[in-house]
């Protein structure tokens, strides 16, 4: 009963100074609101990147050219490729726990059909490409292994190519010209949208990699190798086995390739956003600390203003712990009030940013609960000293205070 009365007295004291209470909580409101907004926007961006990486396929490992040392010079991704289609086929034959492999050749070219033309990305792939990328067919079918072996002039096109070159009807069975070479359209890929690099995935033409090497680009090497592992648990083993196989085929030469899996690609893509989230959260944390200092300052002023009131309570039988609890409750209520208003402000700001800028947001219940708990801890931490000071007042001196 004594505790209930103490809490009632605390709330009554806060109601007597509504404006001061709200201004005191303002620092907590700003800090918590900033934390919620930063986490919501940061988590939304991270979730979007993870979804886009997942859109690239499941359990995918990619071999890139580069990362080698020659004559004292080191090269990274995008260096001149020494990867070959024979190496890709060797991976499929000799590495266990591999479900699918696709040698990949990329080049941009002008594509013509129906008197229209469009500059697009022409991809040389194997028939496993839609399986690796989890990319279903909207119409027709993927070209076959026989088409690869016979260097067939067949193509599968994306939705953007359909819109640009075949606005009036079904493109399957019709002909497109790539660098003046006719290719028969045998299928249309389902629409996929943009990838994490902002590129339109549907703006592409896929042909057999042998046709790309021998008919279109006349290259001797491929740009990369796509590999699908049998399971997520097998990714690390497959990645190491692929590295060992390619190094074995180089017979002592320096490593001139890089093997990366989806997790590593996702981490690289989200590294910058995660760094910014940490920095902005740290700044928001400073706001919370400043808000806590404001609560301590006002509570000290309140102790001074209410010295006679504290003396009367002590004189009529209140214990020091009752006074301590009273001022702690005031500090915690101020912090929690700031926390709740800050959460509402943070959620509202996040929704506003999402609506105006089109940014994805993801409001995590864990961040809301954490912000609430932290605001309560701020109240306890910064309110304890003023409360202890009030509890230690001598009743006689307090009654004499003017």
């Amino acid at each position: 009963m004594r505790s209930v009365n103490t809490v009632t007295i605390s709330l009554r004291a806060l109601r007597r100074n509504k404006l001061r209470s709200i201004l005191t909580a303002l620092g907590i409101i700003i800090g918590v609101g900033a934390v919620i907004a930063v986490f919501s926007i940061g988590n939304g961006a991270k979730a979007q990147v993870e979804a886009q990486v997942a859109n690239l396929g499941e359990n995918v490992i990619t071999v890139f050219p580069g990362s080698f040392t020659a004559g004292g010079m080191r090269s990274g991704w995008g260096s001149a490729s020494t990867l070959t289609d024979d190496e890709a086929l060797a991976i499929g034959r000799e590495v266990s726990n591999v479900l699918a492999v696709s040698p990949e050749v990329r080049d941009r070219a002008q594509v013509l059909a129906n008197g229209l033309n469009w500059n697009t990305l022409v991809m040389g792939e194997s028939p496993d490409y839609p399986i690796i990328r989890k990319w279903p067919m909207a119409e027709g079918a993927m070209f076959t292994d026989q088409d690869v072996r016979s260097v067939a002039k067949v193509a599968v096109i994306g939705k953007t190519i359909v819109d640009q070159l075949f606005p009036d009807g079904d493109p399957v069975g019709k002909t497109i010209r790539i660098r003046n070479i006719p290719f028969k359209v045998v299928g249309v890929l389902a629409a996929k949208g943009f990838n994490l690099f902002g590129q339109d995935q549907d703006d592409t033409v896929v042909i057999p990699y042998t046709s790309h090497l021998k008919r279109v680009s006349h290259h001797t090497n491929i740009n990369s190798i796509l590999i699908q592992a049998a399971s997520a648990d097998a990714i690390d083993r497959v990645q190491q086995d692929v590295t060992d196989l390619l190094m074995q085929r180089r017979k002592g030469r320096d490593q001139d390739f890089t093997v990366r899996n989806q997790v590593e690609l996702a981490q690289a893509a989200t590294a910058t956003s995660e760094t910014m989230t940490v920095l902005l959260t740290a700044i928001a944390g400073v706001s919370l600390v400043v808000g806590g200092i404001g609560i301590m300052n006002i509570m000290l002023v309140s102790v001074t203003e209410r010295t006679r009131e504290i003396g009367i309570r002590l004189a009529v039988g209140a214990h020091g712990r009752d006074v301590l609890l009273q001022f702690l409750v005031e500090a915690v209520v101020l912090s929690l009030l700031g926390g709740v208003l800050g959460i509402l402000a943070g959620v509202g700001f996040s929704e506003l940013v999402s609506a105006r800028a089109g940014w994805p947001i993801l409001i995590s219940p864990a961040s809301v609960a954490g912000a609430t708990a932290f605001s309560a801890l701020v109240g306890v931490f910064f309110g304890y000293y003023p409360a202890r000071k009030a509890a230690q007042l001598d009743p006689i001196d307090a009654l004499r205070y003017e």
Side-chain angles (χ1 to χ4, degrees), residues 20 33 39 47 79 89 152 180 213 215-216 227 244 246-247 340:
R20 186 167 73 178
F39 269 99
S79 305
L89 298 176
N180 211 32
L213 291 171
R215 295 184 185 277
V216 177
I227 306 163
D244 293 341
L246 293 179
M247 287 303 299
V340 171

Side-chain angles (χ1 to χ4, degrees), residues 146-162:
Q146 177 59 35
D147 292 326
V148 172
R149 288 192 293 269
S150 64
V151 197
K153 293 185 286 187
V154 292
V156 172
I157 62 178
K159 181 65 168 57
T160 299
I161 305 302
V162 175

Side-chain angles (χ1 to χ4, degrees), residues 337-382:
L337 175 65
V340 171
L341 294 178
I343 290 169
L344 295 176
V347 171
F349 180 76
S350 300
E351 295 288 354
L352 180 63
V353 169
S354 178
R356 292 293 180 87
W359 292 358
I361 63 168
L362 181 60
I363 300 171
S364 167
S367 64
V368 173
T372 304
F374 189 76
S375 63
L377 288 175
V378 166
V380 173
F381 182 81
F382 288 100

